[in-house]
Amino acid sequence: MTTSRRFEGKVAFITGAARGQGRAEAVRLAAEGANIIAIDACAEFTTTPYAGATEDDLAETVRLVETQGRKIVAHKADVRDVEGLSTALGDGIDQLGRLDVVVANAGICSAALSWEVTAEQWQETIDVNLTGTFNTAKAAIPYLIEQGTGGAMVFTSSMSGLKGTPLTSHYVASKHGVTGLAKAMANELGEYEIRVNTVHPAGVDTGMDMSSMLELLDKYATTLAPIYMNTLPQPSAQPEDIAAAVAWVCSDEARYITGAQIPVDLGNLNR
């Protein structure tokens, strides 16, 4: 773990914080001095092939942040519910005193050929991934502007937010939307010294079961599987790799970077 203290005295708001990338980001920023406001839906989603996070998962994130000697305010809240999201964020700011970093990380994924994506799959994916990111930003931006000390926002997109990965058209659409949303907000918020960027992972080893996608890829291996190949020999990154990129782009070391797309993709986008 890094010994840098780039976030001493700062507060970070992280969605989807119960496990995976969100947990890794909470722990990394806490290790660098930040206090944390963490939320997660802690619920099952209708269209995903893997189990949702639990309240026990969120409690483990709390424990890990506290192990770093930092404070954390955690709530069960769904990014699709802007009122509940805003209430949770407001309570965290009341307890911790400020807001400096926003990590809109919550997201879901499922697989199907585009013409076989169900209406329910499409709507749930867009609602969580894109509308949830918008709701997170909408809840946080007024605090950052009123506080008057700038800030950093980073949205979790994907390599699928920059290329047309097959078998996930609904996910691709949501993540391209996230990328475009960040670009527009970066332009709007520049005058307030609030930076907005996106990170773009390829595969990340979060424990989510995506065997249904692998089965589809096997079926169409000749034409579609090469699109998912990485340049580096590793099959996937770890959540901590994404957290490291998020910590850097939210730190003062990246103070002149906004509206950018940061790939953490093992060279996938280079192919």
Side-chain angles (χ1 to χ4, degrees):
M1 182 64 69
T2 180
T3 57
S4 175
R5 304 290 288 184
R6 294 177 292 189
F7 297 94
E8 198 73 55
K10 295 186 176 183
V11 173
F13 175 42
I14 303 170
T15 69
R19 65 185 185 189
Q21 292 171 206
R23 176 188 285 172
E25 288 152 359
V27 173
R28 175 62 183 253
L29 293 175
E32 294 204 34
N35 292 324
I36 306 296
I37 303 168
I39 72 153
D40 200 289
C42 300
E44 298 297 327
F45 293 94
T46 304
T47 63
T48 56
Y50 50 84
T54 67
E55 292 184 56
D56 285 344
D57 291 328
L58 186 57
E60 176 63 7
T61 297
V62 170
R63 186 191 71 80
L64 291 168
V65 167
E66 290 177 342
T67 297
Q68 300 296 329
R70 307 315 302 163
K71 297 178 181 177
I72 178 170
V73 177
H75 286 286
K76 180 180 176 180
D78 193 316
V79 294
R80 293 171 291 184
D81 174 13
V82 70
E83 291 185 8
L85 184 69
S86 297
T87 297
L89 175 58
D91 179 63
I93 293 172
D94 287 345
Q95 292 193 51
L96 299 177
R98 59 182 298 111
L99 180 65
D100 302 279
V101 172
V102 177
V103 183
N105 167 75
I108 61 172
C109 186
S110 60
L113 291 163
S114 58
W115 57 94
E116 294 177 354
V117 171
T118 66
E120 190 174 34
Q121 269 182 300
W122 176 271
Q123 196 62 60
E124 189 169 57
T125 301
I126 296 297
D127 286 349
V128 174
N129 293 1
L130 181 54
T131 305
T133 297
F134 170 77
N135 288 343
T136 301
K138 183 176 176 63
I141 288 168
Y143 288 105
L144 293 172
I145 291 176
E146 183 179 1
Q147 189 170 270
T149 54
M153 302 175 66
V154 61
F155 302 162
T156 302
S157 184
S158 168
M159 70 173 187
S160 299
L162 295 172
K163 69 187 286 187
T165 51
L167 310 178
T168 59
S169 60
H170 48 318
Y171 181 78
V172 168
S174 73
K175 291 302 187 178
H176 272 72
V178 166
T179 304
L181 179 66
K183 288 181 174 183
M185 286 185 168
N187 286 327
E188 295 172 344
L189 294 168
E191 66 175 294
Y192 302 103
E193 296 190 61
I194 299 168
R195 301 183 297 107
V196 190
N197 295 290
T198 47
V199 292
H200 298 261
V204 182
D205 185 10
T206 61
M208 293 181 179
D209 179 9
M210 291 302 295
S211 57
S212 58
M213 179 185 290
L214 294 176
E215 289 171 5
L216 280 171
L217 276 176
D218 284 343
K219 184 175 181 180
Y220 299 100
T222 301
T223 56
L224 300 185
I227 298 173
Y228 283 93
M229 291 178 65
N230 299 325
T231 299
L232 296 175
Q234 292 78 16
S236 60
Q238 297 301 310
E240 291 76 15
D241 298 312
I242 315 307
V246 167
W248 171 75
V249 80
C250 289
S251 76
D252 288 343
E253 292 176 13
R255 65 187 182 276
Y256 294 142
I257 297 175
T258 193
Q261 298 80 55
I262 312 299
V264 193
D265 66 336
L266 298 108
N268 182 282
L269 289 164
N270 188 53
R271 297 183 68 90

